[in-house]
Amino acid sequence: PIPKPRRLGVDGAILLAEGLRGCQPLASLDLSGGALELQGCVEIISRIPQTPNLKIVMLNSNSIGSEGLGALREALSKAVPKSPALSSIALVNNGIPQEEAWTLRKAAGDLELKV
């Protein structure tokens, strides 16, 4: 039988975020469906400036929800200006209400943010 893929989870996201520091060759990161939840996604987004060539980050389907969106907004507003190579972050299918998505887009500035 084919083994089920394992989900990274919040603890795994925190460890991975630490490992992103100075990872020069990384241009794209897809952690969709990794069960990162809000805390894991915030950790990953916070480390983007330390990954200078990262252009695309996909964090779709990670059960972020609407609770604590302020932390996500703050992480975006701090990381995006310090990440000139970054062109896109995807946060689709995370239970983020569309009426609140505009605040995340505002925090992301000119960056393509899919919510």
Side-chain angles (χ1 to χ4, degrees):
I2 298 173
K4 286 185 175 181
R6 295 187 181 194
R7 294 182 175 198
L8 194 58
V10 175
D11 293 336
I14 292 169
L15 290 172
L16 179 63
E18 286 293 321
L20 290 177
R21 193 174 299 167
C23 188
Q24 296 284 337
L26 187 64
S28 178
L29 182 62
D30 187 352
L31 298 173
S32 297
L36 307 184
E37 300 177 7
L38 175 67
Q39 183 182 359
C41 290
V42 167
E43 289 289 333
I44 296 296
I45 289 170
S46 298
R47 300 298 178 153
I48 291 172
Q50 298 170 358
T51 312
N53 296 313
L54 191 58
K55 296 177 184 173
I56 299 168
V57 178
M58 292 172 279
L59 299 171
N60 302 313
S61 303
N62 274 296
S63 303
I64 293 173
S66 60
E67 294 288 321
L69 283 181
L72 188 59
R73 205 171 27 253
E74 184 178 340
L76 284 167
S77 66
K78 288 180 178 179
V80 170
K82 298 176 184 174
S83 308
L86 189 64
S87 62
S88 176
I89 295 179
L91 295 166
V92 177
N93 197 27
N94 275 302
I96 299 170
Q98 285 303 307
E99 60 271 12
E100 296 183 39
W102 71 271
T103 64
L104 296 177
R105 288 189 184 99
K106 185 176 177 184
D110 293 334
L111 177 80
E112 179 186 19
L113 181 67
K114 299 172 188 171
V115 181

